[in-house]
Amino acid sequence: MSLQVAESAIQQAEHADEAGGGLWREAFRRLVRKPAAIIGAIFVAIFVIVAVFAPLIAPYSPTATDLSQIKGPGHIPGPSSTHWLGLDDLGRDVFSRMIYGARQSLVVGVVSMAFGMVGGIILGLLAGGLGGWVDATIMRFVDMMLAIPGLLFAIGIAAMLGQSLVSVMIAIGVVNIPVFARLLRGQMLAQREADYALAAKSLGVKRSRIILGHVFPNSLSPVIVQGTLTLATAIIEAAGLAFLGLSGADPAIPEWGRMLADTQKFLTSAPQLVFYPGIAIVLSALGFTLLGESLREALDPKNRR
Amino acid sequence: MSLLDVRDLSIVFSRRGRRDVRAVDEVTFSVAAGETVGLVGESGCGKSVTSLAIMGLLPKRGAAVGGSIKFDGTELTSLPADKMRGLRGRDIAMVFQDPMTSLNPVIPIGLQVTEVLRRHRDMDAAAASKEAASLLERVGIPDPARRLKEYPHQLSGGMRQRALIAMALACKPRLLIADEPTTALDVTIQAQILELLKELVVDSGTALVMITHDLGVVAGMCDSVHVMYSGRIVERASRWELFEAPRHPYTAGLLASVPRLDQARGEKLEPIPGSPRDTIPWTQGCAFAPRCRNRIESCTQGAPELVADKLRPDHDLRCFNPIDVAEQEAVTL
């Protein structure tokens, strides 16, 4: 009886082993064993859930003011049972504004990262795939972009495109293009020399197909990892640009960076107002960084069994 | 007429700021349909480069190919790239040394096999995947339908080499080049893979060029053997002839350095002294001379030519002072 149980358990184990899929599934299995990855994933999950379900979670509208709580000029009520994180200088519920702020940060982070990644992949693919003068031209262009400090570059672009959320996203995206382009190109150059590329060539597979079907998919994993890490920096950069007053024209829309900028004048009287958005920015960026770093480690062939 | 005719092949690698390297020189051999020919030599003797040249896989820049490579009457060295691509995989295929790295790790086996079929045999996806399964079956991979969906890392080394052989044979090529196909495998698997290659070659009448440093492989498979040293062929003969009466000191050295079952216990193996790096350019003399125990004065004064052996028929030799057949027999006895 117990022997049978043991046998079936062994069979199941063998089966589970065989059922394992490709590179990504294996990486996922390694990922769930890492505490850092799990902490990062929890932060990211909370952040995403809050952002997506903001209207359901937030107790008040982010723009509604409750002036009954303000007992005179310059009074900023702290946390209470009705307003968990207190009110800001205009009598708006901080907790609700924080929750809606997550939305802004997530949208800006994801869109600008995607913009940078797609742009970088196109440039990197052209450079790494075609080589020759195309490669040289694109890479010199990319070097030029890399030579300008990131935040300064983003400020320039955002200022040029005018104060709006879209221009912030484009600015952050453009700043990240060269990073993705260089990463993908370098990876593709290395993968092009791999044995399987030569083997495919020896079977008469067309060059375009070797590049797109064999070399490109093998070069993608570091780019995807970089994407996760870029999400973190994009959130920080978005907050930075908002802090500098370059994000949207409507001050009523809550945004962590802008909340930080607007409340810093109350640093002595109501320091909690600065503290909340600051912590939120740090934790969300930390979540993506932890997840990205663990993913990089999980995908690293050196760490494989 | 022979299927593959390599004549006076020379390959020179040049790089800016470095001296040119003549990796292959004066290499001439031919392979008839259905014949198995061995190219034997130590690492760095030019055997792999020769195979890459036949496949047209040498880099365009930095590698100058001289001489002629004729495949079924078509000159390959001057063939346009797109024509060559059409030939590769369909008429000439190659099996590489390391099955661990020769398969794309992020694509299932099935896709990699069907890719060839769709490229050269114009099959649609369904027909190609059916054919792929039967190909895997033919090379002895059990449960091929499941294996097709799996990724390379889920297969053992021997399985992967089988899959690679299946890919190479997918279009029934007329010439197969196997570049040390068993070097990266366990000894037990080696025998299976060699057996498989032999079987497939006999079944389909494919000509096989076997590139190896393993004389055991040669003994088991090849009809004729070309021994290379430092980019040139130094001895050529049929398998029996070569093993029975090696005339070039290098070949004899190779044979003596392999353990034999019929050797007396405790008898020492004889390595060839030095390494392939201890060489002199062929322009100055015989490249093997610094390591050769039969060296005479003329060996370092101009290179020997590859000529027919005076003592034995069907035996070519590039040596001023070959091993005496009589002496050889004395050694064996």
Side-chain angles (χ1 to χ4, degrees), chain B residues 273-289:
Chain B
S275 83
R277 298 182 68 96
D278 308 327
T279 179
I280 57 172
W282 281 104
T283 44
Q284 285 173 28
C286 174
F288 186 60

Side-chain angles (χ1 to χ4, degrees), chain A residues 18 20-23 26 195-196 198-199 201-206 209 213-214 217-218, chain B residues 55 57 85 88-89 96 101-107 115 119-120 146 151 153-154 167:
Chain A
E18 282 168 10
L23 182 72
E26 208 181 294
D195 281 354
Y196 65 80
L198 185 68
K201 210 176 164 192
S202 84
L203 290 168
V205 179
K206 286 199 181 107
R209 214 180 128 61
H214 290 272
N218 270 295
Chain B
M55 294 294 292
L57 290 175
R85 203 157 44 224
R88 277 202 294 263
F96 288 90
T101 56
S102 298
L103 284 165
N104 187 338
V106 303
I107 298 178
E115 186 172 45
R119 163 85 173 91
H120 290 298
R146 199 191 75 198
Y151 290 84
H153 74 272
Q154 289 168 290
M167 284 161 69

